[in-house]
Amino acid sequence: MALAALVPGALLGWAVYAAVGGSGDDGGDASTSAGPSAPASSLPPPSPGTPSPSKSDGPDGSDGSDGEKPGTSPGSTSPSASAGTGPLKGKVVVIDPGHNPGNFRHTAEINRRVDVGTHSKECDTTGTSTDDGFSEAEFTLDVAHRMRALLEEQGATVKLTQDDDRPFGPCIDERARIGNEAGADAAVSIHADGSGTGNRGFHVILPGSVDSGAADTRAIVGPSRDLGERIAGNFVRATGNGPSNYVGGGTGLVTREDLGGLNLSTVPKVFVECGNMRDSKDAALLTSGAWRQKAARGISEGIVSFLRG
């Protein structure tokens, strides 16, 4: 990848980057786009929390429990969010942990097709996993918990679309609706990719301009790009990992018009594919609790930067 192709806000993180290198409503072929990134806002260190329910030990020996707080129901907030103090007081962030740990038990339900504006597609999928069985659903929920703790410390009201508190789903149309009905100032869907071995790095998926059926993204394309660029730059700085070497042309940014979670959103929203679970080097990062904390911090700092302008 050419250094010049990277969004400017990620250049500092790229200096410490050594080597780069889905399923359901994410993954697959994508068109690319890029633009400038804005400076990051700083977040305070997270408070110690409860242990993660997901696989914990990574190559750094982390126990996976750093910075995490207990979960709450979809659309609800944890007690600390109600305090409403800090620079993000009054701001609402919706975090969408991709897939659900129980989806594999409900194949008939998640295979039901739903309207995403441009076409219909499955309600949801099981997601991908590493070769040794650490699931995307476990990963996304753990990162979501860590993000919630960081953002609530800044005063934001944080809502999750699911917290492993329902048998399956929600479907991709409902995931979008949760963010819309919350009047979210920013919504972020967390994922990990299931691409081929050797494909490494993160990418942020931005909504394309869609006006079809129930989908009309025209009003959110601009602010969603701003949100995505800020997340991409901060993700590099926080993790030291570079953008995807297989989509996005080295920018870490991809635009798509086929994802229901973006097509049906009426609030600024992006997807973050944090890495490729099917590559052993990326998998070693994704299964590390310490690295997941860095990823959560990078995404959260991008959100803070976007919300503070």
Side-chain angles (χ1 to χ4, degrees), residues 207-219:
S209 182
V210 174
D211 181 17
S212 176
D216 186 355
T217 63
R218 291 172 294 177

Side-chain angles (χ1 to χ4, degrees), residues 4 17 129 141 154 160 166 168 193 199 232 254 267 290:
Y17 174 63
S129 66
L141 197 59
Q154 294 288 290
L160 270 59
R166 54 186 292 163
F168 65 92
D193 212 356
N199 291 342
V254 171
V267 300

Side-chain angles (χ1 to χ4, degrees), residues 214-266:
D216 186 355
T217 63
R218 291 172 294 177
I220 67 163
V221 166
S224 295
R225 170 171 287 278
D226 185 18
L227 173 63
E229 289 171 350
R230 292 174 188 253
I231 288 175
N234 281 282
F235 195 93
V236 171
R237 279 192 289 269
T239 65
N241 293 92
S244 170
N245 65 358
Y246 60 100
V247 291
T251 67
L253 300 173
V254 171
T255 299
R256 292 180 59 171
E257 299 178 357
D258 62 320
L259 301 182
L262 297 180
N263 285 359
L264 300 176
S265 182
T266 59

Side-chain angles (χ1 to χ4, degrees), residues 22-26 97-111 122-130 133-140 162 167-170 172 175 190-194 277-278:
S23 55
D25 201 29
D26 62 295
H99 313 289
N100 180 316
N103 277 357
F104 74 96
R105 301 186 187 94
H106 297 273
T107 55
E109 291 91 342
I110 68 172
N111 284 333
E122 293 82 2
C123 157
D124 202 358
T125 72
T126 59
T128 189
S129 66
T130 63
F134 180 46
S135 72
E136 181 183 3
E138 292 178 279
F139 170 83
T140 64
Q162 60 92 12
F168 65 92
I172 54 179
R175 290 173 184 268
I190 308 299
H191 287 270
D193 212 356
M277 290 195 135
R278 308 307 293 179

Side-chain angles (χ1 to χ4, degrees), residues 1-3 5-20 35 37-40 200-204 227-245 250-253 272-275 285 291 293-303:
M1 288 179 290
L3 179 63
L6 191 63
V7 289
L11 290 177
L12 179 60
W14 183 264
V16 299
Y17 174 63
V20 295
S37 181
R200 297 199 59 199
F202 79 93
H203 61 280
V204 180
L227 173 63
E229 289 171 350
R230 292 174 188 253
I231 288 175
N234 281 282
F235 195 93
V236 171
R237 279 192 289 269
T239 65
N241 293 92
S244 170
N245 65 358
T251 67
L253 300 173
V272 183
E273 296 279 0
C274 296
L285 300 175
W291 189 88
Q293 185 66 24
K294 292 177 183 178
R297 180 173 293 277
I299 299 168
S300 298
E301 286 179 345
I303 295 170

